[in-house]
Amino acid sequence: MPSLGRLHLVTDTRPGRDPLAVVRAALGVAGPDLVVQVRVEDAATDREAYDLAGRIVALCAPYRATCLVNDRLHVALAVRADGGHVGADDLPVDAARRVLGPDAVLGATAREPVAARAAVDAGAGYLGVGPCHHTSTKDGLPDPIGPAGIRAVVDAVDVPVIAIGGVTAATVPALRAAGAYGVAVVGALSTAADPARATAELLRELTC
Ligand SMILES: Cc1ncc(COP(=O)(O)OP(=O)(O)O)c(N)n1
Ligand SMILES: Cc1ncsc1CCOP(=O)(O)O
Ligand SMILES: [Mg+2]
């Protein structure tokens, strides 16, 4: 199985955003190094999630980029995505692994070492860890954990740690220094005036 990409683009489906245009721009720059996580609003229907995920799987395929589906694992299976991502309000990690099968990419959210180890023991192949920094993209999050919180999880597990929450190209170096394997971003790409350029800047910081 190819190694996990270091740049995770999490789709922004809020009103006024254009997730497909952002995915196209990022794929053109990052190609196989991109992981696209299809994340829709909680109020979206399964049909809407299925339609968007199917289009993104088709966009990713020629680039051999990885496509994951957030939360809705039945959608991931239905569109033949590469895997999924689950957190505390979703299927437990062991159940998610049973649903997706042994070869799928499965990520789990963990904010601290004990939960991180439990998620890995239950079958997570990577961890999404945060919020690293303040973000206005998702409500109700706990306080940011910063690079020190990333380091604590990195030291506790042997799977890739993907830092999430308020990540920009400027904050990547400190997260990498803390041991993050990669980053997941919503706003840094979806609100960028030039998403292709923003992708290139993030990738440069992730690979230098
Ligand atoms: C890479 C990555 N890390 C964390 C999350 C957050 O997942 P979760 O805690 O389940 O919250 P929602 O995204 O479902 O609102 C993620 N999606 N991706
Ligand atoms: C889904 C999620 N989980 C923790 S932070 C976050 C949102 C990250 O969005 P942004 O990159 O715009 O801060
Ligand atoms: Mg979730």
Side-chain angles (χ1 to χ4, degrees):
M1 192 187 301
S3 63
L4 185 69
R6 292 181 191 269
L7 177 58
H8 293 220
L9 182 174
V10 182
T11 58
D12 191 346
T13 58
R14 291 173 293 181
R17 305 293 179 211
D18 189 348
L20 290 174
V22 175
V23 167
R24 281 191 200 95
L27 281 170
V29 174
D33 296 329
L34 191 69
V35 176
V36 182
Q37 182 192 127
V38 182
R39 179 176 183 268
V40 297
E41 301 300 293
D42 289 343
T45 64
D46 277 350
R47 181 65 66 90
E48 288 166 337
Y50 172 81
D51 287 345
L52 180 64
R55 294 179 75 173
I56 291 178
V57 162
L59 288 176
C60 287
Y63 292 93
R64 301 203 180 286
T66 299
C67 181
L68 308 179
V69 176
N70 185 48
D71 297 350
R72 307 189 197 203
L73 302 186
H74 55 308
V75 173
L77 290 173
V79 301
R80 298 186 173 82
D82 298 291
H85 186 98
V86 293
D89 294 336
D90 310 315
L91 281 182
V93 178
D94 59 343
R97 176 55 76 193
R98 285 198 299 278
V99 168
L100 291 179
D103 297 330
V105 178
L106 174 58
T109 303
R111 305 186 203 283
E112 43 76 29
V114 172
R117 275 192 294 267
V120 174
D121 289 348
Y126 77 87
L127 296 177
V129 180
C132 300
H133 302 291
H134 173 75
T135 179
S136 55
T137 302
K138 179 174 160 112
D139 294 329
L141 288 169
D143 287 342
I145 60 172
I150 295 293
R151 168 57 68 192
V153 172
V154 166
D155 287 347
V157 298
D158 57 2
V159 299
V161 166
I162 305 298
I164 187 169
V167 176
T168 64
T171 60
V172 168
L175 297 169
R176 284 188 75 198
Y181 172 87
V183 299
V185 299
V186 180
L189 291 176
S190 77
T191 68
D194 183 345
R197 183 173 170 176
T199 301
E201 288 169 359
L202 283 160
L203 263 189
R204 190 180 321 120
E205 295 298 346
L206 285 165
T207 54
C208 65

